[in-house]
Amino acid sequence: MNKANDKLLDIIGLTDAQYLREAEEQPAVIHRKRRFSAGFIAAAAAAAVMTVTAGAVTAVTLLHRESVELYYNEEMTSEMEQRGYAVGQVTENEHVRLTLENLVVDENYAYGVVTAEYLDSAGRNAFGLVPDPILFDSKGLNAYYLGAGSDKVNVMLGRIVNGINNSNEDKQAYTLQIYLHDPFSESKAALPDDLTVRFVEDGLLPNGSDEIVTAEDIPESVFDGLRFEISTKPNTTTYHLISDDGHKGVVSEFMLDFTYRQGEVSTDGNDFPDMMTLRFSDGREQELHSSDYRSQGDFDLESGSLGNAKEDSEMRGRFCRFIDLTGLEEIEFAGITYKVI
């Protein structure tokens, strides 16, 4: 594309000078001791909740509701509990306690919220910059290498700048964002349903998680022993759409991703389209607006790339609340009608 604009939200991470200075001032800390909380021992039971079928969902109360409400509205947070998306998996060592509050998964993305509680100064200092999470399969192989072609598996932690509980230095809320597949790639990564998330201090991997081939390659750090056991089996339905001219879209109850031709549509002066219309088999229509368009919108833009009249553009975002897509037939977006296939 002639012009790439990776318009990521603040939650993508922290790189401001303040945090960089704080990280540089901290001495290196190496610890080998590890211990797990009772919450981690019960992780298998909690993980099972994420993959139960409709009609068999068991509601689980979020352990840190305020963390989830930092990223989702109250309605969506309550629905996560009611529909079995709350996880409550806890892992800790002597420095840090991490709680995976929830996890929603479709064919391409897995999103959750993680609460980090610092148990001592070493744990707090280690979060001066956002840690790097890495995914491993049951054999201890970095899931990055299970990607097919350019469809590499990616995982990241991010947070809203200034975070949660500014008056409480011992707790912060982060988003866990896992990109399982490129939704428009013809090849798909052969991922197992069950993966382990482990953590590395920022700065220990100069070139990212692709430096780590196996779990044994993880450098010793404050995060020794911390891990989440997750299921990437979808617990929401993904809808695939295509327009008459071949542009594609995918939506689930919490994510959206569309390709379109930038030069052929009007965006009313915005970089990316700010609304869409959903049409259902019973004749209903539902109009959704971007939060960039309204103070409290229906979806947030996460990233996008702009083409021109001869090149495709793409926009990815997440819904600010669960969208009921039952009976969805088509979506009008960027002046293009996409039909469910």
Side-chain angles (χ1 to χ4, degrees):
M1 298 183 182
N2 289 344
K3 179 182 179 183
N5 179 15
D6 211 15
K7 183 184 177 185
L8 299 180
L9 296 178
D10 289 339
I11 60 176
I12 293 309
L14 301 176
T15 56
D16 59 64
Q18 174 187 353
Y19 287 103
L20 288 173
R21 287 195 301 270
E22 291 176 357
E24 291 171 351
E25 292 170 358
Q26 306 306 329
V29 181
I30 298 178
H31 297 273
R32 293 179 175 83
K33 183 179 177 182
R34 50 190 259 182
R35 63 184 173 89
F36 300 99
S37 69
F40 179 80
I41 296 173
V49 176
M50 297 187 294
T51 57
V52 292
T53 57
V57 173
T58 301
V60 177
T61 301
L62 293 164
L63 296 184
H64 301 93
R65 188 182 183 90
E66 72 278 7
S67 295
V68 181
E69 288 185 344
L70 183 67
Y71 296 98
Y72 300 97
N73 63 28
E74 184 176 354
E75 175 188 355
M76 190 169 183
T77 301
S78 296
E79 200 165 349
M80 285 182 184
E81 293 178 321
Q82 297 165 8
R83 298 173 61 175
Y85 298 141
V87 178
Q89 187 178 151
V90 181
T91 179
E92 70 177 73
N93 59 21
E94 63 266 41
H95 308 294
V96 181
R97 179 185 299 116
L98 300 178
T99 303
L100 179 60
E101 306 292 348
N102 67 288
L103 196 68
V104 286
V105 188
D106 63 19
E107 291 179 8
N108 306 298
Y109 307 101
Y111 273 40
V113 174
V114 173
T115 302
E117 297 173 89
Y118 317 134
L119 305 181
D120 62 14
S121 59
R124 184 182 300 107
N125 294 338
F127 278 84
L129 293 174
V130 177
D132 292 317
I134 306 178
L135 295 173
F136 295 94
D137 67 4
S138 60
K139 297 179 180 179
L141 178 66
N142 186 348
Y144 177 89
Y145 293 97
L146 301 178
S150 61
D151 186 28
K152 297 296 186 182
V153 181
N154 188 30
V155 58
M156 58 166 286
L157 278 179
R159 84 178 189 206
I160 292 176
V161 175
N162 296 327
I164 187 174
N165 295 341
N166 290 327
S167 61
N168 183 355
E169 297 180 356
D170 293 330
K171 182 165 66 174
Q172 291 284 345
Y174 296 81
T175 59
L176 177 67
Q177 302 175 352
I178 305 174
Y179 307 105
L180 303 169
H181 307 293
D182 176 354
F184 305 117
S185 173
E186 294 184 3
S187 62
K188 296 294 183 183
L191 283 178
D193 286 342
D194 300 315
L195 292 170
T196 298
V197 184
R198 296 182 64 174
F199 301 89
V200 179
E201 286 185 60
D202 184 88
L204 293 185
L205 302 178
N207 296 316
S209 63
D210 54 340
E211 293 286 300
I212 300 296
V213 179
T214 68
E216 286 73 20
D217 297 321
I218 296 180
E220 294 176 329
S221 77
V222 170
F223 299 119
D224 285 355
L226 300 181
R227 66 187 68 185
F228 290 130
E229 305 294 341
I230 66 169
S231 172
T232 60
K233 185 176 181 180
N235 54 23
T236 64
T237 301
T238 300
Y239 291 76
H240 298 260
L241 305 98
I242 192 168
S243 65
D244 289 341
D245 60 1
H247 287 95
K248 297 179 180 180
V250 293
V251 294
S252 66
E253 291 178 298
F254 71 97
M255 290 294 293
L256 60 112
D257 203 333
F258 287 92
T259 65
Y260 61 98
R261 195 171 295 277
Q262 173 73 15
E264 296 178 358
V265 300
S266 171
T267 58
D268 296 327
N270 297 318
D271 288 338
F272 299 95
D274 52 27
M275 67 167 292
M276 65 182 67
T277 302
L278 282 58
R279 300 189 178 97
F280 299 87
S281 56
D282 60 4
R284 288 183 299 116
E285 289 193 358
Q286 185 176 11
E287 192 174 277
L288 303 178
H289 295 267
S290 166
S291 59
D292 289 339
Y293 177 72
R294 292 182 172 180
S295 58
Q296 299 213 359
D298 302 300
F299 62 90
D300 280 328
L301 171 66
E302 284 199 342
S303 73
S305 55
L306 295 174
N308 57 30
K310 296 181 180 180
E311 292 184 323
D312 288 336
S313 299
E314 181 180 353
M315 191 187 89
R316 184 186 76 229
R318 66 181 180 91
F319 290 117
C320 301
R321 55 189 173 84
F322 285 121
I323 304 297
D324 185 358
L325 300 174
T326 305
L328 179 69
E329 285 194 337
E330 64 182 37
I331 295 178
E332 184 177 337
F333 175 78
I336 304 171
T337 298
Y338 299 77
K339 296 185 179 297
V340 173
I341 55 177

